[in-house]
């Protein structure tokens, strides 16, 4: 899970890179990204280019972040 504003300074794209590496090692992982920002279109494009859009859930800004954190494994 990644919870942050989707802006360069927060580097939300690193979560996608880590997911790619996990999938390449045969680990069936999924990623939830909570937050909005300027990088959202760029992240969406990267997911499509890497063909991993089915493994990532871009949920936008949510008010119950702690519920997602408690339910996640990492």
């Amino acid at each position: 899970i990644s919870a942050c504003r989707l802006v360069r300074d927060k580097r939300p794209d690193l979560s996608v890179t880590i997911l790619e590496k996990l999938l390449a090692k045969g680990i069936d992982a999924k990623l939830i990204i909570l937050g909005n920002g300027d990088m959202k279109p760029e992240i969406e494009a990267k997911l499509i280019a890497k063909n991993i859009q089915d493994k990532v859930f871009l949920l936008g800004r949510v008010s119950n972040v702690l519920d997602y954190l408690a339910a996640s494994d990492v």
Side-chain angles (χ1 to χ4, degrees):
I1 190 162
S2 179
C4 67
R5 285 179 288 131
L6 304 182
V7 296
R8 293 224 180 273
D9 291 340
K10 299 287 186 175
R11 300 180 72 189
D13 54 319
L14 288 180
S15 297
V16 176
T17 301
I18 291 168
L19 176 64
E20 286 179 81
K21 290 181 180 186
L22 291 171
L23 294 172
K25 290 185 179 220
I27 298 170
D28 186 25
K30 293 188 171 51
L31 173 63
I32 297 171
I33 299 176
L34 306 175
N36 283 318
D38 297 340
M39 287 187 69
K40 185 175 181 181
E42 182 179 327
I43 291 171
E44 290 172 327
K46 183 176 183 178
L47 298 175
I48 292 167
K50 300 289 183 175
N51 197 27
I52 58 172
Q53 65 272 21
D54 61 327
K55 300 286 186 179
V56 181
F57 304 91
L58 287 159
L59 301 183
R61 186 179 185 282
V62 297
S63 60
N64 59 335
V65 173
L66 293 180
D67 293 334
Y68 286 97
L69 291 173
S72 70
D73 293 329
V74 179

